[in-house]
């Protein structure tokens, strides 16, 4: 499977891809990387010489949604991705091999490409007990540490790998953590989302392939090209937010007219992702366009960030209950304060010595 | 690495509950403290009533006496500007209304964000003018103590952080949003124990003033 | 014998603090607007005269004794105590530079009744021995002799005899069952006996049954001025006893500001029960006589006159329209001063300030406010309804070399009264 | 399932899901600017429409505004691509689809001739090579069924 001897350009030409086809391919790649549109020739020059990296894909506590998302990646097609872009040497869901043969493939790739292969991880790692999640009898923690040791970089795909995700949500029964909680000595790119936008996964790979460097990352280790602006700021419904026009329920006039979904719990203002421009399902639509607020799935702890249908500004606790309890406590403490003040004042009244004109001068 | 988000969740969760709790307890206790001191019965034959004039004064004190305004226009104008800016930003920004709706069970229509934005700028400008006035006007300079400046900061920070958060001038957004909420939590916690209480007690004070004058037949 | 001590003073402040005071202190944001309403600030520009600042001793006691935070602060040593030195320093602010005129109470944006609180602080000042010596002496004279100016009954009797001889009018004294008991201020007895004459003249014409009381003729109440409920009670009790003995239906408060406050608004509360009689101000009574057609005037002059509203009668007393009706009875050319009625500026001598020699210089300085008000009015004669205002204004005018006759409203009315001989 | 069937799902018959951001107008202004730039300097500009947040109706609005001009072309290279000149000469719409027919790039080019339409030296070389082979072998006919056959 591994063939690192030829460059991408040679490989494509061997397949009879014309220069026009290659240019088109590069245009698509540049667009996917959110590069300025005029950058396609530069991308072409870089891709011409790029070599296919070996990729090892590890899946831990996950739902395979990230892989599902990737296999629906439309630009370029998964076939292209698998056979032209990268050499996917281990992916226990997609690979044909199983059992000992599969593990052998992983070990061979690690050995052959030591220090050069890319490690892709989806799923979080349970620290509560090694037996919570194992592959071929190896705990997730051990496999991650082993495999990351020789990797050039780690790409944490999906919110579980990037931030802990659903397994880490309170009460976090397995003691789940993110990749970056364990691996600290390798470059890590977080491609968060539940699942991530497929083009973003391939885009990150393409970036690595094109420029042989890691993309510029944000505070959370996410590529700025895709996570640089919030959903809210790129949302086509934003003008309604600014005008103060909101859907109040999912089936009201406002909802039909496509007004802002803030009041219905849209987490767009705090969610950074590219959904608003890249969209889903071959660019067909995305959650807000289909009438549902953003869940903020690309953000750390989004499962615990209050109800999905509660507006972002509403605190996560039960405020009415807090007000009720505090009010009752206030009444109790207030009653005590009344007692103290009454006592103090009646003491002052008792101590009152009648003032007569003989008392006007100070005691000296 | 993920501190800003954890921070935001904390200020929206535990911290908000705690500060709201302290706020409610404090305000209730303060009112009890005030009422506990009582008011002696008044045996003098009244010329007018108390209730109506008291309510009237609650309204009329919103407008300054002309002569006083002429002598101290900055205090009045800056005071108006900042209060109006603050109140519009607080009560007519949709995310805020959502919070009130979640607390009280009812909401009201918000204003378009450009208007709220302008109000916030006015509020900030007004507060800066108020501070300048406090630092330069001889009367205010003499009167002001640490608490006055503390209260100024407590009022200014929510406006400033709110403005920064809305315009995403600080990265990442959860950090500045968290700071905004945190600044409000400081405001809530200290509210009952500082002169921020005037927000509520001024109605009481005005009523007492109007009632005491009204009883003597004077519109105050 | 008990004497004034700091502890008694602080205790008095504790006693005085009530719910309105707590609401007022809770609401103050130190905006300084009250300064602009106070002539001691506007005329001197000295911020120390800012009204709300005068209350600092009581504010501290309120915070430290009646709020949880204040108690905590006190516990950890953060509270600033009220010391005797502080109160001594505050004497000027509480007495010499506050006439209790109540103008600040009308402008405070949060509604603080500051004058109401200054009056309360005076209780603490008295109990701690920090009242000004002159005001103390006046109080001693009032209690021991019967009048703050040291006037005894004999002096009044002499004046009565004199008036009766001059005019042939009868001044009734100690008439049991009379409708009205007229009170007088010492100043009227000594400086303006025309007031007594005018009463006799008007009441005779209107057929009002009235009397003076030999045991209770003094209307002024130094207890109110110095700020001692106990002394004020003692003085008010004398009036109540006199009125009850003569079984009058009404007491007439004379042309004196604080006397009206003392008998009309504070009196029943001082003795702790409603009065069995009513209290009217002389202007209220005259206005009533006017309205019912029992008195009328003639030969009105066209001279431009204006009216100085005594703070205690107008802003703090509610007698606002009556003087205006009466002014139009005595003049065809009555004009108002720029700020008038409840917005009038104090003469600068109320609240015991005129009795305080320590305040003399300051009082003269702040008189400029009244001076410019008078000049702006365009009037050439000033009418008022308070003997104290009248004296203070006359002194002020003299100080600034202004020729400006000042007269009492009752007196002026009597001059123009239509007398119908039987 | 019967319970679910009872739930009424209202369908808006007008289908008027509004969603205009006003971005179409902004883009037109940007295009006008790029046209002036092309005339003055001869430099081309490309606008990537996939990078611009569009509401459901924005794209239709923009395309109907641009309209159809004199030239249109269809390419077959790693999937179909469509290139057409708008009714504003020099303003081209370029839409690339992959072999699965999915749109992979969507651009407006403000240029005299989109780069993608030009024949490239490498392709001309390889074409020439193939033509020579044909001439040398003297074959009378050749198939054009698969222009991408192994060289």
């Amino acid at each position: 499977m591994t063939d690192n001897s030829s460059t991408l350009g040679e490989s494509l030409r061997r397949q009879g891809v014309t220069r026009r086809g290659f240019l088109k391919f590069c245009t698509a790649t540049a667009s996917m990387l959110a590069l300025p549109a005029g950058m396609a020739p530069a991308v072409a020059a870089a891709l011409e010489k790029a070599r296919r990296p070996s990729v090892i894909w590890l899946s831990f506590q996950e739902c395979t949604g990230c892989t599902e998302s990737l296999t629906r990646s439309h630009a370029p097609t998964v076939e292209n991705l698998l056979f032209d872009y990268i050499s996917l040497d281990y992916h226990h869901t997609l690979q044909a091999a199983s059992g000992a043969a599969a593990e052998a493939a992983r070990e061979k790739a690690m050995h052959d490409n030591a220090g050069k292969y890319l490690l892709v991880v989806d799923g979080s790692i349970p620290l509560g007990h090694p037996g919570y999640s194992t592959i071929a009898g190896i705990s997730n923690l051990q496999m991650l540490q082993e495999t990351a040791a020789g990797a050039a970089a780690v790409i944490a795909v999906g919110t579980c790998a990037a931030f802990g995700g659903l397994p880490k949500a309170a009460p976090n029964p397995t003691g789940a953590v993110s990749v970056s909680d364990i691996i600290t000595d390798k470059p890590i790119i977080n491609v968060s989302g539940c699942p991530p936008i497929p083009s973003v996964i391939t885009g990150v790979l393409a970036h690595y392939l094109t420029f042989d460097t890691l993309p510029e990352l944000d505070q959370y280790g996410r590529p700025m090209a895709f996570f640089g602006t919030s959903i809210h700021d790129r949302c086509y419904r934003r003008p309604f937010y600014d005008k103060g026009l909101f859907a109040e329920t999912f089936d009201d006039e406002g909802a039909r007219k496509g007004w802002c979904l803030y009041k219905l719990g849209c987490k767009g203002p705090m969610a950074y992702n590219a959904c608003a421009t890249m969209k889903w399902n071959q660019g067909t639509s995305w959650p807000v366009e289909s009438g549902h607020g953003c869940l903020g799935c690309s953000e750390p702890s989004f499962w615990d960030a209050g109800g999905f249908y509660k507006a972002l500004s509403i605190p996560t606790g039960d405020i009415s209950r807090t007000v009720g309890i505090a009010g009752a406590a206030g009444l109790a403490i207030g009653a005590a304060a009344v007692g103290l003040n009454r006592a103090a004042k009646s003491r002052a009244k008792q101590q009152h010595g009648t003032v007569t004109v003989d008392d006007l001068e100070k005691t000296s | 690495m993920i501190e800003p988000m954890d921070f935001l969740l904390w200020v929206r969760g535990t911290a908000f509950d705690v500060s709201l709790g302290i706020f409610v307890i404090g305000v209730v206790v303060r009112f009890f403290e005030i009422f506990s001191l009582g008011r002696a019965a008044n045996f003098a034959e009244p010329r007018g009533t108390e209730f109506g004039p008291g309510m009237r004064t609650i309204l009329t004190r919103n407008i300054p006496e002309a002569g006083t305004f002429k002598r101290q226009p900055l205090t009045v104008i800056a005071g108006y500007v900042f209060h109006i800016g603050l109140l519009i930003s607080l009560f007519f920004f949709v995310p805020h209304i959502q919070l009130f709706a979640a607390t009280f069970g009812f909401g009201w229509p918000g204003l378009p964000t450009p208007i709220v934005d302008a109000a916030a700028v006015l509020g900030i400008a007004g507060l800066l003018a108020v501070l300048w006035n406090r630092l330069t006007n001889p009367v205010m300079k003499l009167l002001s103590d640490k608490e006055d400046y503390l209260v100024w900061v407590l009022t200014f920070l929510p406006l400033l952080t709110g403005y920064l958060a809305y315009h995403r001038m600080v990265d990442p957004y959860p950090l500045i949003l968290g700071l905004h909420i945190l600044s409000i939590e400081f405001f809530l916690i200290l509210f009952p124990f500082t002169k921020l209480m005037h927000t509520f007690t001024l109605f009481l004070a005005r009523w007492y003033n109007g009632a005491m004058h009204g009883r003597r037949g004077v519109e105050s | 014998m008990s004497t004034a001590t700091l502890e008694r003073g602080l205790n008095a402040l504790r006693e005085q603090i009530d719910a309105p005071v707590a609401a007022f202190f809770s609401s103050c944001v130190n905006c300084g607007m009250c300064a602009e309403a106070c002539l001691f600030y506007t005329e001197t520009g000295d911020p120390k005269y800012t009204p709300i600042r005068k209350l600092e001793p009581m504010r501290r006691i309120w915070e430290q004794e009646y709020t949880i935070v204040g108690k905590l602060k006190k516990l950890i040593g953060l509270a600033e105590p009220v010391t005797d030195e502080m109160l001594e320093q505050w004497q000027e602010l509480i007495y010499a530079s506050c006439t209790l005129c109540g103008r600040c109470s009308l402008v405070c944006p949060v509604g603080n009744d500051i004058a109401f609180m200054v009056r309360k602080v005076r209780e603490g000042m008295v109990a701690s021995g920090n009242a000004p010596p002159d005001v103390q002496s006046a109080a001693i004279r009032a209690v021991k002799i019967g009048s703050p100016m040291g006037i005894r009954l004999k002096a009044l009797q002499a004046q009565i005899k004199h008036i009766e001889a001059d005019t042939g009018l009868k001044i009734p004294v100690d008439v049991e069952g009379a409708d009205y008991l007229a009170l007088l201020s010492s100043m009227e007895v000594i400086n303006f006996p025309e007031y007594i004459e005018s009463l006799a003249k008007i009441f005779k014409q209107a057929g009002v049954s009235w009397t003076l009381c030999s045991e209770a003729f003094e209307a002024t109440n130094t207890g109110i001025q110095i700020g001692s409920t106990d002394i004020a009670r003692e003085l008010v009790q004398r009036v109540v006893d006199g009125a009850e003995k003569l079984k009058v239906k009404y007491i007439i408060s004379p042309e004196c500001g604080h006397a009206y406050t003392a008998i009309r608004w504070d009196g029943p509360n001082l003795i702790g029960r409603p009065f069995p009689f009513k209290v009217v101000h002389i202007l209220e009574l005259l206005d009533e006589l006017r309205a019912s057609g029992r008195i009328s005037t003639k030969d009105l002059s066209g001279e431009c006159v204006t009216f100085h509203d005594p703070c205690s009668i107008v802003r703090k007393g509610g007698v606002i329209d009556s003087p205006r009706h009466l002014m139009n009875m005595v003049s065809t050319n009555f004009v108002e001063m720029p700020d008038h009625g409840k917005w009038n500026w104090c003469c600068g001598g109320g609240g015991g300030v005129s009795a305080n020699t320590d305040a003399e210089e300051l009082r003269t300085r702040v008189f400029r406010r009244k001076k410019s008000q008078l000049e702006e009015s365009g009037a050439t004669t000033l009418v008022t309804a308070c003997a104290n205002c009248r004296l203070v204004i006359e002194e002020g005018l003299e100080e600034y070399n202004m020729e400006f006759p000042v007269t009492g409203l009752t007196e002026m009315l009597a001059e123009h009264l239509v007398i119908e001989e039987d | 399932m019967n319970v679910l069937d009872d739930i009424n799902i209202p369908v808006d018959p007008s289908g008027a899901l509004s969603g205009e951001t006003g971005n179409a107008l902004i883009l037109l202004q940007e295009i006008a600017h790029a046209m002036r730039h092309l005339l003055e300097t001869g430099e081309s500009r490309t606008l990537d429409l996939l990078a611009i947040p569009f509401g459901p109706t924005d794209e239709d609005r923009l395309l109907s505004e641009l309209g159809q001009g004199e030239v249109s072309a269809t390419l077959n290279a790693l999937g179909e691509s469509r290139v057409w000149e708008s009714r504003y000469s020099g303003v081209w719409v370029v839409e690339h689809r992959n072999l699965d027919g999915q749109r992979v790039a969507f651009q407006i080019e403000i240029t005299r001739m989109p780069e993608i339409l030009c024949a490239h030296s490498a392709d001309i070389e390889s074409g020439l090579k193939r033509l020579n082979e044909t001439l040398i072998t003297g074959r009378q006919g050749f198939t054009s069924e698969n222009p991408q056959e192994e060289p």
Side-chain angles (χ1 to χ4, degrees), chain C residues 124-381:
Chain C
M125 299 296 277
V126 171
S128 64
N130 285 300
D134 289 340
V135 186
Q136 286 185 9
S137 315
I140 293 168
R141 283 194 297 274
V143 171
K144 297 201 167 161
I145 302 173
S147 135
M149 296 175 81
I151 298 161
R152 293 170 202 272
L153 179 61
K154 269 188 262 171
L156 175 62
Q157 285 165 338
Q159 282 287 21
I160 290 174
K161 210 173 275 174
H162 192 71
I163 295 165
E164 286 183 337
D166 270 8
T167 63
L169 289 162
K170 173 79 186 141
I171 312 284
V173 179
D174 294 333
V175 180
E176 219 183 286
D179 287 343
Y180 290 90
L181 168 62
L183 301 179
L184 304 168
S185 74
S186 330
M187 283 183 197
E188 282 158 343
V189 179
I190 296 209
N191 305 75
F192 311 116
E194 301 86 346
Y195 174 73
I196 307 171
E197 187 187 324
S198 304
L199 283 188
K201 198 171 156 190
I202 295 167
F203 289 165
K204 186 182 175 216
Q205 171 59 31
V208 171
S209 137
W210 72 294
T211 182
L212 292 176
C213 175
S214 59
E215 284 161 32
F217 61 86
E218 179 60 64
T220 64
N221 189 322
T222 43
I224 295 295
Q225 291 189 315
I226 198 169
S228 169
T229 303
D230 293 335
I231 296 173
R233 181 184 303 114
E234 198 177 335
L235 297 173
V236 159
Q237 192 65 54
R238 292 179 187 171
V239 177
V240 175
D241 290 346
E244 285 182 339
K245 192 174 146 198
L246 296 179
K247 301 185 180 67
V248 295
K249 295 189 191 110
Y250 298 92
I251 283 183
I252 304 168
S253 185
E255 288 198 349
C256 171
H258 85 273
Y260 186 60
T261 300
I263 191 74
R264 175 68 176 88
W265 303 114
D266 289 1
N269 298 320
L270 289 167
I271 64 165
R273 62 180 167 91
F275 285 162
F277 46 81
K278 290 189 182 237
V279 178
V280 294
H281 190 264
I282 180 65
L283 296 186
E284 287 180 282
L285 176 57
L286 294 177
D287 192 30
E288 211 183 294
L289 297 177
R290 172 199 65 82
S292 57
R294 288 163 76 183
I295 54 171
S296 56
T297 50
K298 60 176 183 189
D299 304 333
L300 305 193
S301 92
E303 196 185 358
C304 189
V305 292
T306 187
F307 182 73
H308 163 79
D309 292 283
C311 310
S312 289
I313 293 170
V314 178
R315 182 160 42 240
K316 297 167 73 185
V319 184
I320 302 171
D321 297 330
S322 301
R324 270 126 198 119
H325 298 153
L326 298 172
M327 282 303 288
N328 286 321
M329 271 187 94
V330 298
S331 171
T332 54
N333 192 7
F334 165 56
V335 294
E336 293 278 17
M337 282 187 267
D339 287 316
H340 60 268
K342 66 176 184 179
W343 290 112
N344 189 34
W345 293 89
C346 181
C347 63
V353 171
S354 63
N356 186 355
T357 44
D358 295 344
E360 234 165 65
E361 197 202 317
L362 188 59
R363 175 157 66 84
T364 310
R365 273 180 82 184
V366 304
F367 183 74
R368 279 191 309 225
R369 170 61 59 175
K370 185 52 60 187
K371 177 175 170 275
S372 65
Q373 252 190 310
L374 285 174
E375 286 163 353
E376 282 172 56
S377 73
T380 50
T381 297

Side-chain angles (χ1 to χ4, degrees), chain A residues 345 348 352-353 355 359 362-363, chain C residues 2 8 11 15 17 88 230:
Chain A
K345 197 161 168 183
H352 177 90
V355 176
D359 303 323
K362 245 185 255 191
T363 332
Chain C
S2 58
R8 287 189 66 177
N11 195 65
E15 253 186 289
I17 293 166
E88 264 171 37
D230 293 335

Side-chain angles (χ1 to χ4, degrees), chain A residues 194-281:
Chain A
C194 190
I197 300 174
S199 316
V200 175
I201 307 178
T202 50
V204 169
L205 289 171
H207 186 282
Y208 184 75
L209 200 63
T210 309
F211 300 109
D212 202 23
T213 56
L214 298 181
E216 192 196 346
L217 303 177
D218 75 354
Q219 170 99 11
Y220 295 118
R222 301 178 296 198
M224 289 292 279
F226 306 107
F227 296 92
T229 35
S230 72
I231 293 290
H232 188 58
D233 285 343
R234 308 223 78 180
C235 180
Y236 76 97
R237 296 194 187 207
R238 174 62 185 268
F240 295 114
Y241 172 87
D242 288 330
K243 281 182 212 150
L245 298 173
F246 296 89
E248 305 283 341
T249 64
F250 283 108
D251 59 354
D252 70 356
E253 185 70 13
R256 273 192 287 278
K257 286 184 173 162
W259 289 354
C260 178
L261 299 166
Y262 184 92
K263 289 186 177 178
L264 293 170
C266 181
K267 302 293 183 292
M270 69 162 216
Y272 287 77
N273 210 336
C275 305
T277 46
M278 304 189 84
K279 306 192 179 178
W280 287 78
N281 298 324

Side-chain angles (χ1 to χ4, degrees), chain A residues 333 337 340-342 344-363, chain C residues 2-5 8 11 14-15 17-18 66 71 84 88 126 128-130 136 139-140 143-144 228 230:
Chain A
I333 302 173
L340 286 174
N341 279 2
R342 287 257 165 93
K345 197 161 168 183
S346 68
R347 206 159 46 239
K349 277 195 178 139
Q350 276 164 20
Q351 284 167 3
H352 177 90
T354 304
V355 176
T356 70
V357 286
D358 299 322
D359 303 323
L360 296 178
E361 277 185 55
K362 245 185 255 191
T363 332
Chain C
S2 58
T3 39
T5 59
R8 287 189 66 177
N11 195 65
R14 274 180 220 124
E15 253 186 289
I17 293 166
D18 59 4
Y66 295 124
K71 282 179 205 163
D84 204 41
E88 264 171 37
V126 171
S128 64
N130 285 300
Q136 286 185 9
I140 293 168
V143 171
K144 297 201 167 161
S228 169
D230 293 335

